[in-house]
Amino acid sequence: MRLLLPAGYIIPPHFHPGAEQSTVLSGTYNMGMGSRFDKVNCKKMPAGSIAVMPAGGIPHYGWASEETIVQVHIDGPLQITYVNRNDDPRLKNK
């Protein structure tokens, strides 16, 4: 899938059961590891950068410092579990 992230957009800490590979196609994505969002500990990933997360549910998060397009490949059906249930946008209207 491809994600078009506006400048400043935050993806809260989450994990997937399958392996994930993300490629920054344009813009700058900043990625961090762990269960708590922390901009300071993010790695800056300009266009052309690739991040690989092994299967097994490792929490990670990110944010776009400018309009950014990220292409994401995940093994198996897409499953996303947010570390903090309140961050899950699927539950905002429930």
Side-chain angles (χ1 to χ4, degrees), residues 55-74:
I58 299 169
H60 55 284
Y61 54 87
W63 64 282
S65 52
E66 60 186 306
E67 183 176 270
T68 302
I69 298 174
V70 179
Q71 183 163 302
V72 180
H73 300 270
I74 295 179

Side-chain angles (χ1 to χ4, degrees), residues 27-44:
T28 303
Y29 186 67
N30 303 274
M31 184 174 175
M33 306 286 289
S35 298
R36 291 184 20 189
F37 181 83
D38 182 0
K39 274 188 176 183
V40 174
N41 289 320
C42 287
K43 179 180 178 184
K44 188 175 189 177

